[in-house]
Amino acid sequence: MEQATPDPERQLQPAPLEPLGRSDAGLGVTVDEEAERAREEGSGGDTMTHNNFWLKKIEISVSEAEKRTGRNAMNMQETYTAYLIETRSVEHTDGQSVLTDSLWRRYSEFELLRNYLLVYYPHIVVPPLPEKRAEFVWHKLSADNMDPDFVERRRIGLENFLLRIASHPILCRDKIFYLFLTQEGNWKETVNETGFQLKADSRLKALNATFRVKNPDKRFTDLKHYSDELQSVISHLLRVRARVADRLYGVYKVHGNYGRVFSEWSAIEKEMGDGLQSAGHHMDVYASSIDDILEDEEHYADQLKEYLFYAEALRAVCRKHELMQYDLEIAAQDLASKKQQCEELATGTVRTFSLKGMTTKLFGQETPEQREARIKVLEEQINEGEQQLKSKNLEGREFVKNAWADIERFKEQKNRDLKEALISYAVMQISMCKKVGFGFNEDICIFRSTYKFL
């Protein structure tokens, strides 16, 4: 019997990152401690104990969207959408209810917040933003990003984005996130002062690491394949749903034409006019019901899109791991090279086809004093290299430990959310079929009575 392929979702026990020696030191660093250190680096080490508690005790909503006109960084006039964020405490202080705070944010500010979180929390599957422009649309939906229906769906998505962060055990503690909810003026300047752009990994460097890393971790490789498959499956599902929505919309609207025909026919038939008029009315009701049905379906499509974009967040974690693994391998190669040079100088053996060998042939042997000085320099570099390699090993082990803890949390969240969404979608379809079936039964009765009359 063929052995089943192990499920990468079950392989969640952290393992050493390094291809070299193992070290058990530093494994006591927890996710919270690592996140606290990253947050302090990005916010000047300011404590947030009170605010962390406050964030867990508030309600967050994006209650309104407003179309505005202003000037961009190039001093050119542009039209954009601003979103009203409201925060309200769910507790009472000294018997008094805390007033609701509100401020306006643009979509670009949400993007800035997420980019900051990606840099300072690379081991976390950072929640994605809703789409900036409509994707997987069918003909009735507008692809215009200023369309009111699209703006409303994006408003809901932005609110969900904030709630995802506020419910995350690490991200909710971040000071920049807290200021995003409470400080309208100079918030961008505060984010830029953290210097997160300078710490961001370049795409070219990440691509280079992807192709040149020699010892990739199989679990992260499997996770990357899993994210690719997740994106492929959800993309295919959304495309099929868009095609079905187009066809279903056409079928329902055809009945609207039948309704008009029956209504016009009832005007010239005296004895069966009432029956025809009633049949036409039911046809019209049936045709118009598709608008509400597809509007409800669009809500479930947006839930699927969220996990479509989550696939890229998973790949971001994999790319960071590949970069760390590549840097570790480069450090190990550099250390091995220096040790070999030191050994050659100490023993006096020189490889003929090396740079040192060619130099010796051209300029002669070094003096003992020169050789001793070089050995001393190399020994210092070796000591520094060993410390650096050990530090990278510990950093990598901490990353793997924390990353898999958050990936496990994400997968539990994904299974729960998609299960609820698909069950709700099935219930909606059953309700729709019952409603449509009841309407058809009435139409059939009317047609039978009309047929008997004829």
Side-chain angles (χ1 to χ4, degrees):
M1 183 175 179
E2 187 178 10
Q3 186 176 3
T5 304
D7 186 358
E9 296 188 16
R10 300 296 181 185
Q11 301 174 2
L12 298 177
Q13 295 300 321
L17 178 80
E18 69 275 16
L20 304 174
R22 299 174 180 236
S23 175
D24 294 329
L27 290 180
V29 178
T30 64
V31 176
D32 287 350
E33 291 170 345
E34 195 279 336
E36 184 71 16
R37 183 173 67 251
R39 181 181 55 76
E40 288 177 356
E41 291 174 357
S43 57
D46 206 37
T47 58
M48 286 287 294
T49 304
H50 174 73
N51 293 334
N52 291 343
F53 177 78
W54 186 80
L55 278 174
K56 295 177 181 179
K57 302 297 182 180
I58 64 171
E59 292 179 353
I60 303 173
S61 65
V62 181
S63 58
E64 187 179 339
E66 181 178 280
K67 186 177 179 181
R68 295 182 177 182
T69 302
R71 293 192 175 274
N72 57 20
M74 303 296 294
N75 201 30
M76 298 178 63
Q77 189 169 351
E78 64 173 351
T79 301
Y80 61 92
T81 304
Y83 299 89
L84 179 64
I85 301 175
E86 293 184 337
T87 55
R88 184 176 66 85
S89 175
V90 298
E91 292 191 340
H92 298 274
T93 305
D94 297 331
Q96 298 293 327
S97 178
V98 178
L99 296 177
T100 300
D101 292 327
S102 63
L103 49 80
W104 293 89
R105 295 286 186 203
R106 295 183 58 175
Y107 185 87
S108 59
E109 292 177 289
F110 284 87
E111 287 182 313
L112 184 61
L113 172 64
R114 187 172 188 274
N115 290 336
Y116 160 82
L117 295 176
L118 284 171
V119 171
Y120 274 99
Y121 303 93
H123 62 278
I124 288 178
V125 184
V126 179
L129 288 167
E131 55 192 349
K132 192 168 186 177
R133 289 177 175 79
E135 300 178 15
F136 304 102
V137 298
W138 48 288
H139 82 278
K140 186 177 180 292
L141 295 180
S142 173
D144 182 13
N145 63 341
M146 301 301 292
D147 178 74
D149 292 336
F150 173 73
V151 170
E152 173 61 18
R153 294 201 310 276
R154 189 164 64 179
R155 179 196 66 77
I156 297 173
L158 291 174
E159 178 177 292
N160 185 64
F161 168 72
L162 295 179
L163 293 176
R164 292 283 194 201
I165 297 176
S167 62
H168 194 281
I170 298 174
L171 298 182
C172 71
R173 294 183 169 91
D174 189 85
K175 180 179 180 180
I176 295 298
F177 173 58
Y178 170 72
L179 295 178
F180 180 85
L181 299 174
T182 58
Q183 177 181 310
E184 187 164 13
N186 301 322
W187 178 80
K188 286 185 178 180
E189 290 75 8
T190 303
V191 180
N192 292 328
E193 286 174 0
T194 64
F196 80 95
Q197 297 96 333
L198 301 176
K199 299 181 181 181
D201 299 315
S202 68
R203 291 185 177 273
L204 182 60
K205 184 179 178 182
L207 184 64
N208 182 51
T210 299
F211 289 102
R212 299 188 64 179
V213 66
K214 295 180 180 179
N215 299 294
D217 191 314
K218 184 178 183 300
R219 292 165 303 163
F220 282 91
T221 302
D222 292 342
L223 180 63
K224 187 189 292 186
H225 293 160
Y226 167 79
S227 65
D228 292 339
E229 185 177 0
L230 178 66
Q231 185 177 41
S232 175
V233 169
I234 295 181
S235 297
H236 181 69
L237 182 60
L238 289 170
R239 281 194 295 267
V240 170
R241 184 261 163 187
R243 290 198 297 267
V244 170
D246 270 329
R247 297 185 65 179
L248 196 62
Y249 183 81
V251 169
Y252 271 71
K253 290 306 179 182
V254 164
H255 286 76
N257 297 332
Y258 293 149
R260 185 169 60 254
V261 169
F262 277 108
S263 297
E264 293 175 356
W265 188 8
S266 66
I268 60 176
E269 293 286 350
K270 295 181 179 179
E271 296 185 5
M272 62 177 185
D274 292 341
L276 293 172
Q277 184 68 32
S278 179
H281 170 71
H282 282 287
M283 289 290 185
D284 291 336
V285 171
Y286 177 76
S288 62
S289 66
I290 189 60
D291 296 319
D292 293 335
I293 292 172
L294 293 183
E295 183 178 348
D296 291 339
E297 282 192 2
E298 205 62 36
H299 168 70
Y300 297 109
D302 288 338
Q303 290 180 303
L304 290 178
K305 287 180 182 179
E306 180 187 17
Y307 281 94
L308 174 70
F309 304 140
Y310 256 122
E312 176 58 29
L314 288 172
R315 283 195 290 269
V317 176
C318 294
R319 285 195 297 268
K320 182 61 178 180
H321 177 267
E322 288 172 342
L323 276 170
M324 297 178 69
Q325 179 70 33
Y326 180 65
D327 289 342
L328 181 66
E329 292 176 356
I330 293 298
Q333 291 175 8
D334 185 59
L335 179 61
S337 176
K338 284 183 171 58
K339 286 183 176 180
Q340 185 175 12
Q341 293 178 37
C342 187
E343 182 181 354
E344 289 174 354
L345 287 172
T347 59
T349 58
V350 179
R351 290 176 297 170
T352 305
F353 297 102
S354 65
L355 179 60
K356 174 63 179 173
M358 298 298 295
T359 304
T360 301
K361 285 184 174 293
L362 292 174
F363 303 105
Q365 293 286 345
E366 293 177 321
T367 65
E369 292 79 10
Q370 290 175 329
R371 187 163 57 251
E372 288 296 330
R374 288 195 60 197
I375 290 175
K376 184 176 180 180
V377 171
L378 282 172
E379 287 176 346
E380 292 177 355
Q381 292 178 348
I382 288 172
N383 289 333
E384 293 177 0
E386 288 176 344
Q387 292 299 321
Q388 182 183 18
L389 188 62
K390 182 179 179 181
S391 175
K392 287 183 179 293
N393 273 325
L394 293 178
E395 182 183 358
R397 289 169 66 85
E398 291 172 15
F399 178 88
V400 171
K401 175 183 175 68
N402 297 339
W404 279 110
D406 196 67
I407 289 167
E408 182 178 16
R409 179 205 58 81
F410 161 75
K411 289 181 176 180
E412 291 175 356
Q413 168 196 300
K414 179 209 67 175
N415 293 338
R416 181 175 63 252
D417 289 349
L418 292 184
K419 179 180 179 180
E420 291 177 359
L422 294 176
I423 290 175
S424 299
Y425 180 76
V427 170
M428 185 202 73
Q429 292 291 331
I430 293 172
S431 176
M432 178 193 73
C433 292
K434 288 181 177 179
K435 182 178 179 181
V436 171
F438 177 75
F440 267 129
N441 288 336
E442 289 189 351
D443 291 342
I444 290 172
C445 292
I446 293 171
F447 280 128
R448 283 177 176 173
S449 61
T450 305
Y451 176 77
K452 289 179 179 179
F453 176 82
L454 293 174

